[in-house]
Amino acid sequence: MPIDMPTLPGFNGSRFGLETNTQRFESPFTRSVQRVALGGSRWIATYSLPPMKRERAAEWQAFFLNLEGGANTFNAFDPDARRPRGVATGSPLVKGGSQTGSTLNIDGATANILAWLRPGDYFSVNGELKMVTAPANTDSSGEATISFKPALRNSPPDNTPIILDKPTCTMALVDDQQAIWECDVVGLYQPKTFSAIEVFS
């Protein structure tokens, strides 16, 4: 079960984005180029914590030790986009099973809303974090089609909830050195940066 990060203090910097998986083929004869996007795109993150006293640092130390380097996982997110910019109201669910690719039909949203979700909004479904790439408008029945990246890795079952508030993905630390801290003579823990990458099966 992924572990939640401590809530305090907030990050004073972050780097969050999608690492795509592509291949490029160049003909040695004509120099023509073919490019193809493969599966396996994954989110990567680097988080920076401010200086803190032991009262705050202790919770983060325990968090890192519970992760045991890259062995265990945690719930990761983009700290600058915890909520959508769109209206994003209702109780949205996947509408129909066997959906694949980079669009998803949903229902249960508030009806007749323009830009119910807006480009750049995040949501998660079936344990996968997605970013909206085009406005999603709801119809009179509260249904919509969401366009997003990266593409679905697994088809979510019918009626799977769409998570809009604080959506996350599952990440692991990039190496086993992330739990090391520096502290000065007056007990102030120095700023700390750690990096992680999305993991999935």
mmCIF file of all heavy atoms in Angstrom, residues 62-103:
data_model
loop_
_atom_site.group_PDB
_atom_site.id
_atom_site.type_symbol
_atom_site.label_atom_id
_atom_site.label_comp_id
_atom_site.label_asym_id
_atom_site.label_seq_id
_atom_site.Cartn_x
_atom_site.Cartn_y
_atom_site.Cartn_z
ATOM 1 N N ALA A 62 10.847 9.626 9.360
ATOM 2 C CA ALA A 62 10.100 8.374 9.476
ATOM 3 C C ALA A 62 9.515 7.957 8.128
ATOM 4 O O ALA A 62 9.503 6.769 7.783
ATOM 5 C CB ALA A 62 8.993 8.530 10.518
ATOM 6 N N PHE A 63 9.027 8.939 7.367
ATOM 7 C CA PHE A 63 8.493 8.654 6.028
ATOM 8 C C PHE A 63 9.555 7.995 5.160
ATOM 9 O O PHE A 63 9.312 6.946 4.534
ATOM 10 C CB PHE A 63 7.995 9.956 5.402
ATOM 11 C CG PHE A 63 7.744 9.896 3.927
ATOM 12 C CD1 PHE A 63 6.631 9.248 3.423
ATOM 13 C CD2 PHE A 63 8.625 10.496 3.033
ATOM 14 C CE1 PHE A 63 6.397 9.193 2.051
ATOM 15 C CE2 PHE A 63 8.401 10.448 1.667
ATOM 16 C CZ PHE A 63 7.283 9.788 1.182
ATOM 17 N N PHE A 64 10.746 8.582 5.113
ATOM 18 C CA PHE A 64 11.804 8.022 4.268
ATOM 19 C C PHE A 64 12.239 6.641 4.749
ATOM 20 O O PHE A 64 12.487 5.743 3.933
ATOM 21 C CB PHE A 64 13.001 8.970 4.223
ATOM 22 C CG PHE A 64 12.751 10.214 3.424
ATOM 23 C CD1 PHE A 64 12.795 11.462 4.011
ATOM 24 C CD2 PHE A 64 12.453 10.146 2.072
ATOM 25 C CE1 PHE A 64 12.559 12.617 3.284
ATOM 26 C CE2 PHE A 64 12.206 11.285 1.331
ATOM 27 C CZ PHE A 64 12.265 12.519 1.938
ATOM 28 N N LEU A 65 12.323 6.454 6.047
ATOM 29 C CA LEU A 65 12.725 5.144 6.549
ATOM 30 C C LEU A 65 11.673 4.087 6.235
ATOM 31 O O LEU A 65 12.008 2.937 5.929
ATOM 32 C CB LEU A 65 12.986 5.215 8.050
ATOM 33 C CG LEU A 65 14.227 6.019 8.457
ATOM 34 C CD1 LEU A 65 14.409 5.996 9.968
ATOM 35 C CD2 LEU A 65 15.480 5.512 7.760
ATOM 36 N N ASN A 66 10.399 4.449 6.286
ATOM 37 C CA ASN A 66 9.343 3.502 5.927
ATOM 38 C C ASN A 66 9.410 3.101 4.456
ATOM 39 O O ASN A 66 8.996 1.999 4.084
ATOM 40 C CB ASN A 66 7.970 4.087 6.247
ATOM 41 C CG ASN A 66 7.605 3.960 7.708
ATOM 42 O OD1 ASN A 66 8.009 3.012 8.379
ATOM 43 N ND2 ASN A 66 6.842 4.912 8.226
ATOM 44 N N LEU A 67 9.931 4.001 3.628
ATOM 45 C CA LEU A 67 10.066 3.665 2.208
ATOM 46 C C LEU A 67 11.185 2.657 1.962
ATOM 47 O O LEU A 67 11.181 1.963 0.931
ATOM 48 C CB LEU A 67 10.324 4.934 1.388
ATOM 49 C CG LEU A 67 9.138 5.885 1.246
ATOM 50 C CD1 LEU A 67 9.558 7.130 0.468
ATOM 51 C CD2 LEU A 67 7.952 5.214 0.561
ATOM 52 N N GLU A 68 12.141 2.551 2.894
ATOM 53 C CA GLU A 68 13.258 1.612 2.763
ATOM 54 C C GLU A 68 13.936 1.746 1.390
ATOM 55 O O GLU A 68 14.021 0.804 0.609
ATOM 56 C CB GLU A 68 12.790 0.176 2.993
ATOM 57 C CG GLU A 68 12.261 -0.042 4.409
ATOM 58 C CD GLU A 68 11.908 -1.477 4.699
ATOM 59 O OE1 GLU A 68 10.857 -1.935 4.189
ATOM 60 O OE2 GLU A 68 12.660 -2.142 5.424
ATOM 61 N N GLY A 69 14.425 2.971 1.140
ATOM 62 C CA GLY A 69 15.031 3.231 -0.167
ATOM 63 C C GLY A 69 13.992 3.134 -1.261
ATOM 64 O O GLY A 69 12.904 3.696 -1.166
ATOM 65 N N GLY A 70 14.293 2.399 -2.306
ATOM 66 C CA GLY A 70 13.353 2.239 -3.409
ATOM 67 C C GLY A 70 12.460 1.030 -3.292
ATOM 68 O O GLY A 70 11.768 0.669 -4.251
ATOM 69 N N ALA A 71 12.412 0.400 -2.098
ATOM 70 C CA ALA A 71 11.651 -0.842 -1.956
ATOM 71 C C ALA A 71 10.154 -0.606 -1.887
ATOM 72 O O ALA A 71 9.366 -1.359 -2.484
ATOM 73 C CB ALA A 71 12.111 -1.599 -0.715
ATOM 74 N N ASN A 72 9.731 0.428 -1.150
ATOM 75 C CA ASN A 72 8.306 0.696 -0.971
ATOM 76 C C ASN A 72 7.889 1.938 -1.752
ATOM 77 O O ASN A 72 8.724 2.680 -2.262
ATOM 78 C CB ASN A 72 7.988 0.841 0.517
ATOM 79 C CG ASN A 72 8.285 -0.438 1.282
ATOM 80 O OD1 ASN A 72 8.016 -1.540 0.792
ATOM 81 N ND2 ASN A 72 8.863 -0.312 2.465
ATOM 82 N N THR A 73 6.615 2.180 -1.829
ATOM 83 C CA THR A 73 6.084 3.244 -2.683
ATOM 84 C C THR A 73 5.309 4.280 -1.871
ATOM 85 O O THR A 73 4.915 4.033 -0.726
ATOM 86 C CB THR A 73 5.173 2.668 -3.778
ATOM 87 O OG1 THR A 73 4.073 1.967 -3.158
ATOM 88 C CG2 THR A 73 5.942 1.707 -4.680
ATOM 89 N N PHE A 74 5.056 5.435 -2.507
ATOM 90 C CA PHE A 74 4.286 6.491 -1.857
ATOM 91 C C PHE A 74 3.378 7.179 -2.869
ATOM 92 O O PHE A 74 3.552 7.039 -4.084
ATOM 93 C CB PHE A 74 5.208 7.503 -1.160
ATOM 94 C CG PHE A 74 6.048 8.345 -2.084
ATOM 95 C CD1 PHE A 74 5.662 9.629 -2.423
ATOM 96 C CD2 PHE A 74 7.248 7.858 -2.591
ATOM 97 C CE1 PHE A 74 6.443 10.424 -3.256
ATOM 98 C CE2 PHE A 74 8.043 8.637 -3.427
ATOM 99 C CZ PHE A 74 7.637 9.918 -3.755
ATOM 100 N N ASN A 75 2.414 7.925 -2.348
ATOM 101 C CA ASN A 75 1.462 8.664 -3.180
ATOM 102 C C ASN A 75 2.083 10.009 -3.553
ATOM 103 O O ASN A 75 2.278 10.864 -2.699
ATOM 104 C CB ASN A 75 0.142 8.863 -2.438
ATOM 105 C CG ASN A 75 -0.599 7.556 -2.222
ATOM 106 O OD1 ASN A 75 -0.776 6.773 -3.148
ATOM 107 N ND2 ASN A 75 -1.023 7.305 -0.993
ATOM 108 N N ALA A 76 2.378 10.185 -4.827
ATOM 109 C CA ALA A 76 3.044 11.389 -5.316
ATOM 110 C C ALA A 76 2.065 12.244 -6.107
ATOM 111 O O ALA A 76 1.059 11.753 -6.639
ATOM 112 C CB ALA A 76 4.237 11.009 -6.187
ATOM 113 N N PHE A 77 2.400 13.556 -6.211
ATOM 114 C CA PHE A 77 1.500 14.485 -6.880
ATOM 115 C C PHE A 77 2.279 15.721 -7.290
ATOM 116 O O PHE A 77 3.413 15.950 -6.853
ATOM 117 C CB PHE A 77 0.344 14.875 -5.950
ATOM 118 C CG PHE A 77 0.790 15.351 -4.594
ATOM 119 C CD1 PHE A 77 1.189 16.663 -4.384
ATOM 120 C CD2 PHE A 77 0.832 14.475 -3.516
ATOM 121 C CE1 PHE A 77 1.611 17.103 -3.142
ATOM 122 C CE2 PHE A 77 1.260 14.906 -2.260
ATOM 123 C CZ PHE A 77 1.645 16.226 -2.082
ATOM 124 N N ASP A 78 1.642 16.529 -8.141
ATOM 125 C CA ASP A 78 2.182 17.829 -8.503
ATOM 126 C C ASP A 78 1.695 18.824 -7.450
ATOM 127 O O ASP A 78 0.505 19.133 -7.392
ATOM 128 C CB ASP A 78 1.682 18.226 -9.894
ATOM 129 C CG ASP A 78 2.258 19.554 -10.374
ATOM 130 O OD1 ASP A 78 2.797 20.306 -9.552
ATOM 131 O OD2 ASP A 78 2.152 19.831 -11.579
ATOM 132 N N PRO A 79 2.589 19.340 -6.595
ATOM 133 C CA PRO A 79 2.119 20.200 -5.503
ATOM 134 C C PRO A 79 1.534 21.526 -5.955
ATOM 135 O O PRO A 79 0.864 22.206 -5.168
ATOM 136 C CB PRO A 79 3.380 20.411 -4.649
ATOM 137 C CG PRO A 79 4.518 20.035 -5.505
ATOM 138 C CD PRO A 79 4.032 19.099 -6.537
ATOM 139 N N ASP A 80 1.738 21.906 -7.208
ATOM 140 C CA ASP A 80 1.193 23.163 -7.713
ATOM 141 C C ASP A 80 -0.159 22.990 -8.398
ATOM 142 O O ASP A 80 -0.707 23.952 -8.935
ATOM 143 C CB ASP A 80 2.176 23.805 -8.692
ATOM 144 C CG ASP A 80 3.481 24.190 -8.020
ATOM 145 O OD1 ASP A 80 3.415 24.773 -6.925
ATOM 146 O OD2 ASP A 80 4.551 23.901 -8.569
ATOM 147 N N ALA A 81 -0.706 21.771 -8.385
ATOM 148 C CA ALA A 81 -1.972 21.528 -9.098
ATOM 149 C C ALA A 81 -2.777 20.453 -8.375
ATOM 150 O O ALA A 81 -3.137 19.439 -8.955
ATOM 151 C CB ALA A 81 -1.689 21.120 -10.537
ATOM 152 N N ARG A 82 -3.084 20.708 -7.116
ATOM 153 C CA ARG A 82 -3.833 19.720 -6.343
ATOM 154 C C ARG A 82 -5.313 19.699 -6.686
ATOM 155 O O ARG A 82 -5.991 18.706 -6.443
ATOM 156 C CB ARG A 82 -3.693 19.980 -4.827
ATOM 157 C CG ARG A 82 -2.295 19.992 -4.260
ATOM 158 C CD ARG A 82 -1.449 18.760 -4.565
ATOM 159 N NE ARG A 82 -2.078 17.468 -4.435
ATOM 160 C CZ ARG A 82 -2.162 16.770 -3.320
ATOM 161 N NH1 ARG A 82 -1.696 17.249 -2.199
ATOM 162 N NH2 ARG A 82 -2.714 15.574 -3.316
ATOM 163 N N ARG A 83 -5.832 20.808 -7.245
ATOM 164 C CA ARG A 83 -7.231 20.893 -7.640
ATOM 165 C C ARG A 83 -7.323 21.334 -9.089
ATOM 166 O O ARG A 83 -6.492 22.103 -9.565
ATOM 167 C CB ARG A 83 -7.980 21.905 -6.760
ATOM 168 C CG ARG A 83 -8.315 21.408 -5.371
ATOM 169 C CD ARG A 83 -9.495 20.468 -5.389
ATOM 170 N NE ARG A 83 -10.676 21.088 -6.041
ATOM 171 C CZ ARG A 83 -11.686 20.403 -6.566
ATOM 172 N NH1 ARG A 83 -11.678 19.099 -6.568
ATOM 173 N NH2 ARG A 83 -12.693 21.037 -7.104
ATOM 174 N N PRO A 84 -8.346 20.871 -9.830
ATOM 175 C CA PRO A 84 -8.518 21.321 -11.219
ATOM 176 C C PRO A 84 -8.853 22.803 -11.304
ATOM 177 O O PRO A 84 -9.378 23.402 -10.361
ATOM 178 C CB PRO A 84 -9.700 20.472 -11.718
ATOM 179 C CG PRO A 84 -9.821 19.336 -10.761
ATOM 180 C CD PRO A 84 -9.346 19.859 -9.448
ATOM 181 N N ARG A 85 -8.560 23.392 -12.460
ATOM 182 C CA ARG A 85 -8.981 24.767 -12.737
ATOM 183 C C ARG A 85 -10.418 24.800 -13.230
ATOM 184 O O ARG A 85 -11.093 25.813 -13.140
ATOM 185 C CB ARG A 85 -8.055 25.400 -13.778
ATOM 186 C CG ARG A 85 -6.603 25.526 -13.307
ATOM 187 C CD ARG A 85 -5.736 26.164 -14.371
ATOM 188 N NE ARG A 85 -5.824 25.457 -15.632
ATOM 189 C CZ ARG A 85 -6.110 26.024 -16.807
ATOM 190 N NH1 ARG A 85 -6.356 27.315 -16.873
ATOM 191 N NH2 ARG A 85 -6.163 25.299 -17.907
ATOM 192 N N GLY A 86 -10.882 23.685 -13.809
ATOM 193 C CA GLY A 86 -12.262 23.594 -14.260
ATOM 194 C C GLY A 86 -13.233 23.477 -13.097
ATOM 195 O O GLY A 86 -12.832 23.395 -11.929
ATOM 196 N N VAL A 87 -14.525 23.440 -13.415
ATOM 197 C CA VAL A 87 -15.559 23.357 -12.377
ATOM 198 C C VAL A 87 -15.435 22.060 -11.584
ATOM 199 O O VAL A 87 -15.484 22.041 -10.354
ATOM 200 C CB VAL A 87 -16.958 23.492 -13.012
ATOM 201 C CG1 VAL A 87 -18.047 23.308 -11.963
ATOM 202 C CG2 VAL A 87 -17.092 24.846 -13.687
ATOM 203 N N ALA A 88 -15.324 20.943 -12.293
ATOM 204 C CA ALA A 88 -15.007 19.638 -11.698
ATOM 205 C C ALA A 88 -15.948 19.237 -10.568
ATOM 206 O O ALA A 88 -15.505 18.725 -9.537
ATOM 207 C CB ALA A 88 -13.554 19.618 -11.224
ATOM 208 N N THR A 89 -17.247 19.464 -10.745
ATOM 209 C CA THR A 89 -18.216 19.090 -9.714
ATOM 210 C C THR A 89 -18.986 17.849 -10.131
ATOM 211 O O THR A 89 -18.952 17.423 -11.286
ATOM 212 C CB THR A 89 -19.198 20.245 -9.458
ATOM 213 O OG1 THR A 89 -19.740 20.687 -10.710
ATOM 214 C CG2 THR A 89 -18.499 21.400 -8.772
ATOM 215 N N GLY A 90 -19.712 17.280 -9.174
ATOM 216 C CA GLY A 90 -20.436 16.050 -9.414
ATOM 217 C C GLY A 90 -19.683 14.870 -8.820
ATOM 218 O O GLY A 90 -18.742 15.025 -8.040
ATOM 219 N N SER A 91 -20.120 13.680 -9.207
ATOM 220 C CA SER A 91 -19.480 12.434 -8.757
ATOM 221 C C SER A 91 -19.151 11.593 -9.986
ATOM 222 O O SER A 91 -19.833 10.598 -10.278
ATOM 223 C CB SER A 91 -20.402 11.668 -7.806
ATOM 224 O OG SER A 91 -20.716 12.455 -6.666
ATOM 225 N N PRO A 92 -18.113 11.991 -10.742
ATOM 226 C CA PRO A 92 -17.854 11.362 -12.040
ATOM 227 C C PRO A 92 -17.365 9.926 -11.919
ATOM 228 O O PRO A 92 -16.584 9.589 -11.024
ATOM 229 C CB PRO A 92 -16.784 12.260 -12.654
ATOM 230 C CG PRO A 92 -16.087 12.877 -11.476
ATOM 231 C CD PRO A 92 -17.159 13.070 -10.444
ATOM 232 N N LEU A 93 -17.848 9.101 -12.853
ATOM 233 C CA LEU A 93 -17.492 7.683 -12.930
ATOM 234 C C LEU A 93 -17.187 7.317 -14.376
ATOM 235 O O LEU A 93 -17.679 7.955 -15.315
ATOM 236 C CB LEU A 93 -18.650 6.810 -12.435
ATOM 237 C CG LEU A 93 -19.196 7.066 -11.023
ATOM 238 C CD1 LEU A 93 -20.487 6.279 -10.823
ATOM 239 C CD2 LEU A 93 -18.164 6.694 -9.972
ATOM 240 N N VAL A 94 -16.385 6.281 -14.555
ATOM 241 C CA VAL A 94 -16.139 5.745 -15.890
ATOM 242 C C VAL A 94 -17.465 5.230 -16.459
ATOM 243 O O VAL A 94 -18.211 4.518 -15.783
ATOM 244 C CB VAL A 94 -15.093 4.612 -15.835
ATOM 245 C CG1 VAL A 94 -14.970 3.921 -17.192
ATOM 246 C CG2 VAL A 94 -13.747 5.167 -15.385
ATOM 247 N N LYS A 95 -17.745 5.605 -17.708
ATOM 248 C CA LYS A 95 -18.999 5.179 -18.358
ATOM 249 C C LYS A 95 -18.684 4.104 -19.395
ATOM 250 O O LYS A 95 -18.317 4.392 -20.532
ATOM 251 C CB LYS A 95 -19.687 6.360 -19.027
ATOM 252 C CG LYS A 95 -21.049 6.009 -19.650
ATOM 253 C CD LYS A 95 -21.706 7.236 -20.258
ATOM 254 C CE LYS A 95 -23.090 6.914 -20.788
ATOM 255 N NZ LYS A 95 -23.038 6.008 -21.958
ATOM 256 N N GLY A 96 -18.785 2.853 -18.976
ATOM 257 C CA GLY A 96 -18.544 1.742 -19.873
ATOM 258 C C GLY A 96 -17.150 1.161 -19.711
ATOM 259 O O GLY A 96 -16.173 1.885 -19.536
ATOM 260 N N GLY A 97 -17.051 -0.154 -19.767
ATOM 261 C CA GLY A 97 -15.771 -0.826 -19.637
ATOM 262 C C GLY A 97 -15.042 -0.931 -20.969
ATOM 263 O O GLY A 97 -15.514 -0.449 -22.004
ATOM 264 N N SER A 98 -13.872 -1.540 -20.936
ATOM 265 C CA SER A 98 -13.057 -1.831 -22.126
ATOM 266 C C SER A 98 -12.585 -0.579 -22.863
ATOM 267 O O SER A 98 -12.332 -0.617 -24.063
ATOM 268 C CB SER A 98 -13.833 -2.741 -23.100
ATOM 269 O OG SER A 98 -14.205 -3.944 -22.470
ATOM 270 N N GLN A 99 -12.460 0.554 -22.165
ATOM 271 C CA GLN A 99 -11.964 1.767 -22.798
ATOM 272 C C GLN A 99 -10.429 1.778 -22.763
ATOM 273 O O GLN A 99 -9.807 1.409 -21.767
ATOM 274 C CB GLN A 99 -12.512 3.012 -22.100
ATOM 275 C CG GLN A 99 -14.027 3.132 -22.174
ATOM 276 C CD GLN A 99 -14.511 4.486 -21.705
ATOM 277 O OE1 GLN A 99 -14.165 5.525 -22.277
ATOM 278 N NE2 GLN A 99 -15.337 4.493 -20.664
ATOM 279 N N THR A 100 -9.847 2.210 -23.873
ATOM 280 C CA THR A 100 -8.392 2.262 -23.997
ATOM 281 C C THR A 100 -7.991 3.599 -24.623
ATOM 282 O O THR A 100 -8.839 4.399 -25.007
ATOM 283 C CB THR A 100 -7.868 1.103 -24.868
ATOM 284 O OG1 THR A 100 -8.460 1.190 -26.171
ATOM 285 C CG2 THR A 100 -8.216 -0.255 -24.259
ATOM 286 N N GLY A 101 -6.679 3.827 -24.736
ATOM 287 C CA GLY A 101 -6.189 5.011 -25.431
ATOM 288 C C GLY A 101 -6.140 6.238 -24.548
ATOM 289 O O GLY A 101 -5.981 6.158 -23.324
ATOM 290 N N SER A 102 -6.309 7.414 -25.173
ATOM 291 C CA SER A 102 -6.131 8.705 -24.497
ATOM 292 C C SER A 102 -7.417 9.496 -24.376
ATOM 293 O O SER A 102 -7.403 10.721 -24.259
ATOM 294 C CB SER A 102 -5.081 9.541 -25.238
ATOM 295 O OG SER A 102 -3.819 8.927 -25.168
ATOM 296 N N THR A 103 -8.566 8.827 -24.446
ATOM 297 C CA THR A 103 -9.853 9.458 -24.164
ATOM 298 C C THR A 103 -10.652 8.533 -23.254
ATOM 299 O O THR A 103 -10.453 7.309 -23.250
ATOM 300 C CB THR A 103 -10.672 9.749 -25.432
ATOM 301 O OG1 THR A 103 -10.936 8.512 -26.118
ATOM 302 C CG2 THR A 103 -9.929 10.712 -26.353
#
